[in-house]
Amino acid sequence: MNSFLQNIGILRDLVDLSLAILIVSRLARLLKGVLALRILAILSGLVALHLLARFFSLQTVRLIVDLILASSVVGLAVIFQTDIRRAFATLARSRTEKDVEMSDVIDELVFAVAGLAQKKIGALIVIERAISVDSYLAVGTDIDAKVTSELISSIFLPYSPIHDGAVIIQHGKLTKAGCFLPLTQNLEVSKSLGTRHRAAIGLTELVDAVVVVVSEETGTASVIVGGKKTDVIDMPSLGKTLRRLVEPRWLK
Amino acid sequence: MTAHVKGHEWLKGVKFLSVLLAVLIWLSVILERPGEMLLVLPVNLHRMPAGLKLDGGAPAEVEVVVSGPRILLFLLPFRQTRCDIDLAGAQPGLQQVSMKEAEFNLDPEIKVMHVAPATASFTLATKNKY
């Protein structure tokens, strides 16, 4: 009976520690930039100092550290007020609103692809799903903008400095443009396919992203997933395919 | 590419520091939990009245069970903690001092739960003038 209670105690401690790690890392993710790292390091240092002061019964040091730790809550709320406000705003947003947003992203994409295909302007659009594509991207320019057909079209215009390469859509936002993707090494891929298609196939062989390619030679659009290319017959079917492949949670 | 590498390093740094901070917070909580410890402390007889001396033996050590926050208990065996018995006003003859009256130089947050033996017996005699 005693060992059972002891085991329950150990289990409770492990759950307690795991939840503490989860909460701290979730809160830390809300904060962006190098400042977050510094603040985490300072807080860790203060808590370690509190422990040492307690351990060696250094009453004055403990009092000072405890005062700083207690007031740091207010300090952090002031420093990160924008991030906190944004996080609460995201939480407060209703599901319907998010579904509408998802629909907006797909609509904007389809509209942009239709325009580019009509003008025979080549395009490579990567939509990230569950697996991050960050590790497989080279070069690229950070953008972090709302997905609009105008923005996508202007990026791929031939005189745009970032028209070569792919645009990346992560969590419903256009985060990067002009990114180079890994080319497929698969010898079975048709030699008639150009670099854009090879890059799209190469990336989708490595991650679960969905890639939309517009060929500048034929003006046709295709969707590539898992290294497999599917030609798009018309734009409504592209919208349907994208809605089927991209779940709302990946656009949040 | 540099931006992505930096992004990965940032994420790794945040993950590491988050885990470190959480573990430190958790430690500071669990180390505050109350615990008990058995100590063997030397007995120190002090403020012996002038003209009196100890006749025969006195208990050299006592066993003490203390309770308090675990973080304060860790260092106790390494501290020079002792059991002080105040002899001010003592008369010659057999002395039986209850250990409840003894003083222990412990942190105010640490409580003495049990002392063995419960009383210390010793004899005080008048000093020979010659």
Side-chain angles (χ1 to χ4, degrees), chain A residues 12-13 16-17 20-21 24-25 28-29 31-34 36-37 40-41 43-44 47-48 50-51 54-57 59 62 134-135 137-139 142 176 179, chain B residues 1 3-4 8-15 17-33 69-72 74-75 79 107-109:
Chain A
R12 188 190 57 203
D13 283 347
D16 194 22
L17 177 62
I21 291 172
V24 175
S25 44
R29 291 278 189 93
L31 317 174
K32 299 215 183 295
V34 184
L37 276 179
L40 279 174
L43 283 178
S44 303
V47 178
H50 161 86
L51 276 172
R54 189 91 174 100
F55 192 69
F56 293 107
S57 297
Q59 304 292 345
R62 186 186 158 204
D134 285 343
S135 324
L137 305 177
V139 199
D142 288 336
K176 295 172 186 82
C179 298
Chain B
M1 193 68 180
H4 302 305
H8 272 277
E9 281 173 4
W10 178 85
L11 199 60
K12 274 185 189 171
V14 165
K15 275 184 187 168
L17 286 173
S18 303
V19 171
L20 178 70
L21 181 59
V23 169
L24 285 170
I25 293 171
W26 179 75
L27 271 179
S28 65
V29 171
I30 64 153
L31 289 176
E32 287 298 329
R33 283 184 196 162
R70 285 178 191 178
I71 194 163
L72 297 179
F74 281 125
L75 277 187
R79 286 198 175 149
D107 191 286
E109 287 182 65

Side-chain angles (χ1 to χ4, degrees), chain A residues 108-173:
Chain A
E108 293 290 331
L109 266 174
V110 172
F111 200 66
V113 169
L116 292 164
Q118 197 184 10
K119 292 172 200 158
K120 289 196 176 179
I121 296 173
L124 185 55
I125 303 162
V126 176
I127 308 164
E128 184 183 84
R129 293 202 288 182
I131 302 171
S132 171
V133 295
D134 285 343
S135 324
Y136 304 100
L137 305 177
V139 199
T141 304
D142 288 336
I143 291 182
D144 196 25
K146 194 180 169 190
V147 178
T148 62
S149 59
E150 293 87 354
L151 181 61
I152 295 172
S153 304
S154 59
I155 286 171
F156 289 110
L157 287 176
Y159 49 79
S160 160
I162 46 174
H163 78 279
D164 261 341
V167 298
I168 313 296
I169 293 168
Q170 292 171 307
H171 307 290
K173 292 200 100 181

Side-chain angles (χ1 to χ4, degrees), chain B residues 1-70:
Chain B
M1 193 68 180
T2 319
H4 302 305
V5 172
K6 276 184 184 169
H8 272 277
E9 281 173 4
W10 178 85
L11 199 60
K12 274 185 189 171
V14 165
K15 275 184 187 168
F16 171 75
L17 286 173
S18 303
V19 171
L20 178 70
L21 181 59
V23 169
L24 285 170
I25 293 171
W26 179 75
L27 271 179
S28 65
V29 171
I30 64 153
L31 289 176
E32 287 298 329
R33 283 184 196 162
E36 283 194 353
M37 182 180 271
L38 173 71
L39 296 170
V40 178
L41 303 180
V43 176
N44 174 39
L45 304 176
H46 72 123
R47 296 216 289 171
M48 175 85 75
L52 290 184
K53 65 171 185 177
L54 195 63
D55 186 19
E61 287 175 336
V62 283
E63 282 187 353
V64 181
V65 177
V66 291
S67 157
R70 285 178 191 178

